[in-house]
Amino acid sequence: MKVLVVATSPLQVQNGIQYIRQTNGDFSRSVLAHVGSARDEDNERALTIANREAWARIGRFPPFRPLRSKDFVTVEDWRREETSNRAIFIEEIARFFTEVGTSHFETVLLGDYRPMSFRQFLQATEHGRPEVVLLDDGSVSRYVMRFRETGAGKEEATRGILPHLGAEDPFRIMEPTSLTYFTIYDEPIAQSDKILLNKQYEGAAYQDLRLLDNEVWICGANHVEARLAKQNEYIAICAAVRSWFPDKVVRYFPHRREQAEKLEIIQSKISANIEGYKYGIEEYVRETKTRPHRLVVFGSTVADTLSRAFAPSDTVVVATPSEQYFVKKERSDHIRNVIRDNLRSNTHVTGISPSTSNVGRWFSAESHMERVGRSIQSPGHLPDKPMYEQLDGLKRVTTKAGWARLCEQKSAHVHRAILGSFPGAEQDTAFLHVFKIRTEERYAFKLRLADAGEGGDFVEASAMFDVPGTHKRENDFGRIVLEIEVNSERISTVSVFFKAQKSVPTKLLLIALQGHGERVSRHRGIVQNGFSLARLLPREVETLSLPTSRQPCSVQTRLTPGESIFLVTRGHGSEKATLICIHSGHLTTLTATSLKMPIFGDFIIPIVHAQKADGLSDLLHGVSMSRPIVIASQDEKMLTCHGSDGVFAEIGLGPDIDVALLDFRSFKPIVLHAHESTSPSRERFGLTY
């Protein structure tokens, strides 16, 4: 396999090397085109890393700097000079390929998706139709994934695209029709794209790391230099972090673009050792085979990479800045998005506001995040019955691996499945129905809760089932809440919470919609169009073992606004597991204190409105953590959970319990931390106050 790597930064080069190693490539058949940075130090670092391997060729290109139209008297003058500027860069590329050849490049690796200069290398190789791979360089992959899948985040994903100069423009946009992501992030992508997971942070280079328990490392950021943050606020956050660890040695690893004057102030203010290692903190861990007591970041993909390298230890902490931190609110979105992804997408990352008091006590608490051999299966047994009761205007055409493919009937005008019938319930009880769907040709649906009798009343909610989100509707008849999760294989898990205002039998209908804009349920069927359904199946997952017989334990959960999580617990020695539904507020519309889930039997699931942890929700918008759920032994046999409003549920037989780490529907990680508590009634975000 002949590979072309186009890269600038040290991390891009390192990821190109990792790709070649991971795919069993041959460096003697691989070529690196290094497009220079404006900073000589960055170029030196990148080429030092590159020169560790025996490449067939390393080509060096000057930085491409587009000319600004405002620096010219007329637009015509700018257009003429910019055309020449671009032509010079194209000539450099042409000379390079004259030496290395353009044929037989099976793969082209781009260190970044955005720069037009990177994309021009595709002009010379497009006739061979090579696979185009985006190397993971910080948050770029996530922006591009979302943009290519949904069109969201266009401004960031395409900010390197230059204005077109007309027929004489030497540059072309060269948008890949298909893109492979070499990344640590396993997230939804466009159907034309694919993911190859970068496993370097799970590999042997990061195994058997020696713990430096007396050291705390701070990963520096260039927020001040980029004019995103105020210097006094940045220094204040560093000082707050220092106060969390009064007895530890603090080592500060600067961002490569931090200024020396600021580093001198940090060194003076917090008594930190400023490290001079040039090749990045990930490379430092790999080289020294060490890890600290805690690694603190201010929103960085280092949290994503090293939380994987340090797993299962909860070493990485994100210090979340306040609104006063930012120079301008409108320029803070990038940092907010990075912090949100740090917390939302990683199992072993903790977010803490620097304004929170007594953090040191929490860090000194004994952690129980070690996995144990026991596992929990979702409670109950699925009944041996179909995933729907009746089809109208739909026909089951195939069944494979638990999936039923349903296609429309040509003569029908309404295409629906009755998913289930439900009895009347007490006024403080709602129902939950969960199913999986592959949207295929039909992706817009309506879920209707209808009176099973002759009344004809109903409440319904519509949604695109291939897009994650929460949808709520209510009227005089009832209330319905949809939660849609979409995984990287584009399989959607749909959770339907519903309740009739009166205790009457109801039925739940899934109705396919057609059209653009205003979608309608009445349409003539197209026999080749349809979707596939599958039942929710229980699965065993890893657990934490909490010694609640010794003293109370606090469990902090990952709680995304607009989504619920289900904590599955089981007492030691017990076969019976229990579910607790925890939500961030959106289920209060049900006015219910408990759920019934008929597919798992008749037991009651308590509903808990968990309060958010301080200092996170306003900043992050898309993610927050719950205040800890404190679990304590009431006596030797029964356990109780304490939320913000006191005891909310009896959860199983004791004296100690196991808590599942994953949600039983989507199997996403939901438990962040568990600690022994000394003051369960006053816990907030795992801290006493």
Side-chain angles (χ1 to χ4, degrees):
M1 178 176 70
K2 194 171 181 181
V3 176
L4 170 65
V5 181
V6 185
T8 293
S9 73
L11 183 57
Q12 291 172 10
V13 172
Q14 178 58 49
N15 283 325
I17 292 171
Q18 174 63 21
Y19 176 92
I20 295 170
R21 289 175 177 167
Q22 191 169 310
T23 57
N24 297 316
D26 184 353
F27 282 97
S28 68
R29 289 177 50 80
S30 301
V31 175
L32 171 64
H34 180 257
V35 180
S37 163
R39 290 173 55 88
D40 291 339
E41 187 177 6
D42 288 353
N43 296 330
E44 178 189 344
R45 292 177 179 180
L47 291 170
T48 298
I49 292 172
N51 286 326
R52 296 171 184 171
E53 310 299 336
W55 300 85
R57 174 70 186 276
I58 296 178
R60 300 182 63 174
F61 294 80
F64 175 76
R65 297 186 178 93
L67 304 177
R68 301 183 303 176
S69 60
K70 69 178 184 179
D71 294 335
F72 292 81
V73 176
T74 67
V75 173
E76 290 75 16
D77 289 344
W78 166 76
R79 191 184 303 276
R80 183 179 60 256
E81 293 302 319
E82 176 61 8
T83 300
S84 175
N85 183 38
R86 297 181 189 183
I88 292 171
F89 193 80
I90 293 294
E91 290 170 3
E92 292 278 350
I93 293 176
R95 279 194 289 271
F96 174 71
F97 280 112
T98 298
E99 299 172 3
V100 302
T102 60
S103 61
H104 308 304
F105 278 112
E106 300 169 38
T107 308
V108 177
L109 311 182
L110 299 181
D112 197 339
Y113 176 86
R114 299 165 299 181
M116 284 281 278
S117 56
F118 278 30
R119 295 184 179 208
Q120 302 320 301
F121 288 84
L122 299 177
Q123 284 201 54
T125 58
E126 65 177 332
H127 63 279
R129 297 184 178 181
E131 179 183 18
V132 181
V133 179
L134 176 60
L135 298 173
D136 194 29
D137 186 19
S139 58
V140 172
S141 287
R142 281 175 165 158
Y143 279 117
V144 177
M145 287 176 180
R146 292 165 190 162
F147 169 66
R148 286 177 64 93
E149 184 202 14
T150 68
K154 179 179 179 180
E155 182 177 353
E156 177 63 29
T158 64
R159 65 181 172 91
I161 301 300
L162 301 175
H164 186 52
L165 301 178
E168 302 300 319
D169 192 347
F171 274 19
R172 292 165 54 195
I173 293 179
M174 301 303 298
E175 180 69 26
T177 56
S178 177
L179 189 64
T180 298
Y181 301 91
F182 184 60
T183 176
I184 61 175
Y185 307 116
D186 188 4
E187 298 187 2
I189 57 174
Q191 291 185 352
S192 61
D193 298 346
K194 63 181 180 179
I195 289 176
L196 174 63
L197 288 177
N198 181 346
K199 297 182 178 179
Q200 67 173 313
Y201 301 106
E202 304 166 18
Y206 290 97
Q207 301 300 310
D208 302 320
L209 302 178
R210 180 168 56 92
L211 173 63
L212 304 176
D213 197 45
N214 192 46
E215 293 189 5
V216 170
W217 299 352
I218 297 177
C219 179
N222 69 328
H223 298 167
V224 174
E225 290 76 5
R227 299 182 181 178
L228 297 172
K230 304 167 188 173
Q231 179 160 303
N232 63 319
E233 293 289 339
Y234 185 89
I235 301 299
I237 285 187
C238 292
V241 171
R242 186 12 145 179
S243 71
W244 297 347
F245 309 99
D247 301 323
K248 304 289 185 183
V249 174
V250 173
R251 300 173 65 190
Y252 187 96
F253 288 79
H255 187 280
R256 65 183 188 274
R257 291 176 182 166
E258 284 189 85
Q259 294 179 348
E261 294 82 359
K262 188 184 78 175
L263 297 178
E264 290 177 3
I265 296 173
I266 291 172
Q267 184 178 32
S268 173
K269 289 282 187 181
I270 70 171
S271 301
N273 298 325
I274 307 298
E275 297 301 318
Y277 189 78
K278 294 182 177 181
Y279 303 110
I281 197 167
E282 293 104 334
E283 187 69 11
Y284 181 84
V285 170
R286 184 204 301 260
E287 184 176 300
T288 63
K289 302 289 285 185
T290 59
R291 64 180 176 90
H293 171 73
R294 288 292 188 277
L295 168 65
V296 181
V297 304
F298 307 124
S300 168
T301 50
V302 167
D304 304 328
T305 56
L306 289 186
S307 66
R308 288 164 168 78
F310 295 156
S313 171
D314 304 317
T315 302
V316 179
V317 175
V318 179
T320 62
S322 67
E323 291 291 346
Q324 291 73 32
Y325 178 84
F326 301 106
V327 173
K328 293 182 179 179
K329 186 175 181 180
E330 58 268 21
R331 296 197 65 202
S332 65
D333 286 347
H334 173 68
I335 299 175
R336 294 173 190 275
N337 290 335
V338 172
I339 294 174
R340 181 191 62 203
D341 288 336
N342 287 162
L343 297 174
R344 190 172 186 174
S345 303
N346 298 297
T347 305
H348 298 286
V349 175
T350 308
I352 297 183
S353 167
S355 63
T356 309
S357 60
N358 295 322
V359 177
R361 287 187 59 182
W362 184 76
F363 279 129
S364 64
E366 183 178 357
S367 174
H368 294 281
M369 277 298 289
E370 294 301 319
R371 273 67 169 166
V372 297
R374 291 181 293 275
S375 60
I376 291 181
Q377 190 172 69
S378 302
H381 300 281
L382 288 173
D384 186 16
K385 67 177 184 180
M387 64 193 72
Y388 53 82
E389 294 182 354
Q390 180 180 324
L391 298 178
D392 294 324
L394 293 170
K395 182 179 180 181
R396 186 169 182 158
V397 294
T398 59
T399 302
K400 184 177 181 181
W403 286 91
R405 164 79 170 162
L406 307 180
C407 286
E408 299 173 352
Q409 291 184 293
K410 186 175 181 180
S411 59
H413 289 271
V414 176
H415 315 276
R416 65 187 184 185
I418 300 177
L419 299 179
S421 298
F422 304 89
E426 297 81 4
Q427 282 303 298
D428 62 349
T429 301
F431 285 99
L432 170 63
H433 184 76
V434 184
F435 62 94
K436 294 184 179 292
I437 185 169
R438 288 200 302 246
T439 52
E440 297 164 348
E441 297 83 17
R442 289 288 180 233
Y443 51 86
F445 293 88
K446 180 185 294 181
L447 270 164
R448 174 180 293 176
L449 176 67
D451 190 333
E454 301 297 326
D457 294 329
F458 63 86
V459 61
E460 61 188 18
S462 302
M464 304 293 186
F465 276 24
D466 59 347
V467 178
T470 301
H471 309 269
K472 299 188 289 185
R473 291 291 184 272
E474 62 178 276
N475 60 19
D476 291 340
F477 173 72
R479 305 174 182 197
I480 187 168
V481 180
L482 310 183
E483 290 182 24
I484 302 170
E485 288 270 3
V486 184
N487 68 14
S488 59
E489 297 176 346
R490 304 191 68 81
I491 294 174
S492 300
T493 300
V494 182
S495 301
V496 191
F497 301 83
F498 56 92
K499 174 187 166 186
Q501 298 289 59
K502 298 180 180 179
S503 184
V504 297
T506 56
K507 56 185 177 182
L508 191 63
L509 298 89
L510 176 68
I511 305 169
L513 304 180
Q514 186 192 50
H516 300 282
E518 187 68 25
R519 297 180 181 273
V520 296
S521 56
R522 291 190 60 81
H523 59 274
R524 182 172 293 277
I526 302 174
V527 293
Q528 67 267 32
N529 283 0
F531 54 94
S532 295
L533 293 179
R535 292 187 300 175
L536 177 72
L537 296 176
R539 186 176 104 180
E540 291 194 346
V541 299
E542 290 182 307
T543 67
L544 296 181
S545 180
L546 304 184
T548 51
S549 60
R550 189 162 62 203
Q551 62 180 323
C553 295
S554 62
V555 178
Q556 188 188 23
T557 57
R558 184 187 308 275
L559 191 65
T560 302
E563 294 178 1
S564 61
I565 58 173
F566 281 80
L567 204 63
V568 183
T569 66
R570 182 184 62 195
H572 287 189
S574 173
E575 294 298 321
K576 180 182 178 182
T578 304
L579 285 170
I580 302 170
C581 175
I582 304 169
H583 68 98
S584 57
H586 66 294
L587 295 184
T588 54
T589 188
L590 297 172
T591 63
T593 59
S594 60
L595 289 171
K596 286 186 177 180
M597 192 173 180
I599 63 171
F600 279 150
D602 295 328
F603 62 87
I604 300 297
I605 305 170
I607 302 176
V608 180
H609 179 186
Q611 295 190 29
K612 298 173 184 176
D614 291 346
L616 290 173
S617 57
D618 291 340
L619 171 73
L620 301 179
H621 303 302
V623 66
S624 61
M625 311 296 186
S626 71
R627 290 187 185 179
I629 299 160
V630 181
I631 303 173
S633 285
Q634 190 178 43
D635 53 44
E636 291 186 357
K637 294 184 178 180
M638 190 61 67
L639 296 169
T640 57
C641 290
H642 298 258
S644 58
D645 299 321
V647 176
F648 62 71
E650 296 178 345
I651 64 168
L653 298 176
D656 299 332
I657 68 167
D658 297 329
V659 175
L661 294 171
L662 308 181
D663 185 86
F664 83 100
R665 300 161 301 169
S666 61
F667 306 111
K668 289 171 55 176
I670 56 171
V671 175
L672 293 172
H673 304 281
H675 293 271
E676 291 188 12
S677 307
T678 57
S679 180
S681 64
R682 301 182 65 198
E683 287 286 335
R684 177 174 293 183
F685 190 55
L687 316 171
T688 57
Y689 71 102

